[in-house]
Amino acid sequence: MLANSFSEDRQIIGIDLAEGMVDLANARCKEAGISDRARAEVGDACDLASRFPDAAGVISLFGLQQLPQAHLTLANWVSTLAPGGMLAVTFWPSQVEQQGPWQRLADLSTNKPKASAKSSHKQSVKAIHWEEQLPEVALKEGGMLLADEQPTFAMRWRSIEEFWQVMTEAGPWHARLLQMGNDHMALLRQQFMAGYPCPEHGPIEHFPHARLIMIQQSLAAL
């Protein structure tokens, strides 16, 4: 999509720690005939400034919240921008809806095994901490705030069962499955489904919101 939006002299580089995902992305670039100007590389997205100075733009979709010290990562991304460069980042905040299946799943997350309760509290405090520092900490690297918004997305599922499968097998809650294990997730599923007497019925619709931050680097940036 990006390759088709810019002139052919623009180089588009994707970053991922997972070598398998990088291989898949590069295979798709080759299949699309754009591998001469679009590619993926294995690397740490937390530090782009040392690897890609003077970038014309940085785009991140729903990945920032997964990174350690996300507020410092955003500042690093701003610092890598060339004068006039643009940053556009969308991520899931700690609370995405007031009510709905996503919020129900989030509420149940406090019911973790005792061994991980302390860790859960630290993670919750950490999430609130870094979100409150945005976008100010990033603006210290120069630039002007163009947008700080909370766009809402209409999500529709054929059933609550489909919602569970997508969220835990391939979505934001898959990390929890890997961390806590199948037994924990089976118990969580039982608790979650207790709120939906007919999980096969649908459709289900809810309206979570993300957070969008856009910053343009100053023309006077060094």
Side-chain angles (χ1 to χ4, degrees), residues 1 35 48 60 80 86 112 125 132 148 154 176 187 204:
M1 183 185 300
S35 56
L48 298 184
S60 174
T80 199
M86 298 284 294
K112 291 184 178 180
V125 172
E132 289 181 345
D148 186 356
R176 179 166 178 163
L187 177 60
I204 302 295

Side-chain angles (χ1 to χ4, degrees), residues 5-210:
S5 300
F6 296 101
S7 59
E8 294 186 358
D9 62 334
R10 290 289 187 182
Q11 289 292 310
I12 300 171
I13 304 172
I15 301 296
D16 201 302
L17 280 174
E19 186 173 343
M21 296 300 293
V22 168
D23 290 342
L24 179 61
N26 283 327
R28 290 184 174 178
C29 287
K30 183 177 181 180
E31 182 180 332
I34 57 172
S35 56
D36 59 327
R37 54 196 174 96
R39 67 183 187 277
E41 298 180 359
V42 175
D44 184 3
C46 295
D47 182 16
L48 298 184
S50 63
R51 189 171 180 180
F52 304 104
D54 297 327
V58 174
I59 298 175
S60 174
L61 299 176
F62 302 109
L64 183 66
Q65 75 279 355
Q66 302 181 46
L67 301 177
Q69 296 185 307
H71 58 301
L72 299 182
T73 294
L74 190 69
N76 180 273
W77 293 351
V78 173
S79 72
T80 199
L81 293 173
M86 298 284 294
L87 173 139
V89 174
T90 302
F91 64 91
W92 293 120
S94 54
Q95 183 175 21
V96 302
E97 59 186 8
Q98 295 295 325
Q99 58 183 6
W102 195 322
Q103 186 56 41
R104 175 171 174 77
L105 200 52
D107 290 340
L108 290 172
S109 71
T110 59
N111 299 324
K112 291 184 178 180
K114 293 182 179 179
S116 62
K118 184 176 180 180
S119 174
S120 175
H121 173 70
K122 288 183 177 180
Q123 290 177 2
S124 177
V125 172
K126 178 182 177 181
I128 295 174
H129 175 67
W130 72 261
E131 287 179 46
E132 289 181 345
Q133 297 189 61
L134 300 183
E136 286 76 17
V137 67
L139 292 174
K140 292 180 180 179
E141 297 295 334
M144 176 178 61
L145 181 67
L146 301 181
D148 186 356
E149 304 171 355
Q150 294 187 342
T152 298
F153 300 87
M155 289 190 171
R156 299 176 180 86
W157 312 89
R158 288 172 293 185
S159 67
I160 198 66
E161 179 68 38
E162 182 186 47
F163 168 83
W164 173 267
Q165 291 179 352
V166 171
M167 289 288 286
T168 59
E169 295 179 9
W173 286 76
H174 183 65
R176 179 166 178 163
L177 171 63
L178 297 177
Q179 178 185 10
M180 307 302 294
N182 291 326
D183 290 344
H184 169 76
M185 294 304 290
L187 177 60
L188 182 62
R189 183 185 186 282
Q190 183 180 7
Q191 296 171 338
F192 177 77
M193 289 299 179
Y196 302 94
C198 300
E200 71 279 4
H201 290 177
I204 302 295
E205 184 176 51
H206 61 126
F207 302 89
H209 70 265

